[in-house]
Amino acid sequence: MINILAIDDSMTMREMVREVLSSAGFSVTTANDGVHGVDVFQQDQYDAVITDINMPKMDGFGVIESIRGGGVNTRVPILVLTTESGPALKERARNAGATGWIVKPFEDESLISVIRRVTGVR
């Protein structure tokens, strides 16, 4: 089973991601902000992380930096799922270690396809 961690301060968005990916056969754990997400990440093995950028307590850049600089599963694919689409933010995310960028609202099949691609699942 492929385990995905979805971090977003919007309950609606967390549930949408969970529903879409669960229906495609992925196991999805959610976290409601960056601090919670990093804590949850350190407690289990995840095959990919999806994070929003704009969140309270710790933003998505902090999440990416914490995972990449931590001692656990530092090479996990990290996808940014956000309403933001500016090139400077995308570059900042890439420089922090993000694997990809998806703009909200997302197409269900596109999200599933990206997750399959970064986790190697067909």
Side-chain angles (χ1 to χ4, degrees):
M1 176 71 66
I2 299 295
N3 292 322
I4 309 298
L5 175 59
I7 308 167
D8 200 304
D9 59 318
S10 163
M11 183 169 51
T12 302
M13 188 54 61
R14 288 192 309 269
E15 289 309 310
M16 284 175 57
V17 169
R18 179 198 309 268
E19 192 172 305
V20 167
L21 295 180
S22 295
S23 71
F26 297 102
S27 172
V28 181
T29 301
T30 61
N32 58 13
D33 64 50
V35 171
H36 183 220
V38 170
D39 185 48
V40 169
F41 179 80
Q42 294 170 345
Q43 296 174 26
D44 206 346
Q45 185 72 23
Y46 292 97
D47 299 292
V49 175
I50 301 170
T51 185
D52 189 13
I53 287 294
N54 299 312
M55 297 181 289
K57 297 184 184 175
M58 178 189 292
D59 67 12
F61 299 115
V63 169
I64 297 164
E65 291 162 358
S66 292
I67 289 173
R68 293 294 184 237
V72 179
N73 198 9
T74 58
R75 298 177 58 85
V76 66
I78 303 173
L79 300 172
V80 175
L81 178 62
T82 182
T83 57
E84 305 285 345
S85 61
L89 291 176
K90 289 180 181 178
E91 183 176 349
R92 183 176 169 200
R94 261 194 310 275
N95 289 341
T99 308
W101 190 281
I102 302 165
V103 177
K104 297 174 189 174
F106 61 88
E107 296 283 331
D108 295 1
E109 287 305 316
S110 296
L111 181 62
I112 293 166
S113 174
V114 168
I115 293 293
R116 284 186 173 140
R117 189 164 51 248
V118 300
T119 60
V121 173
R122 294 291 157 214

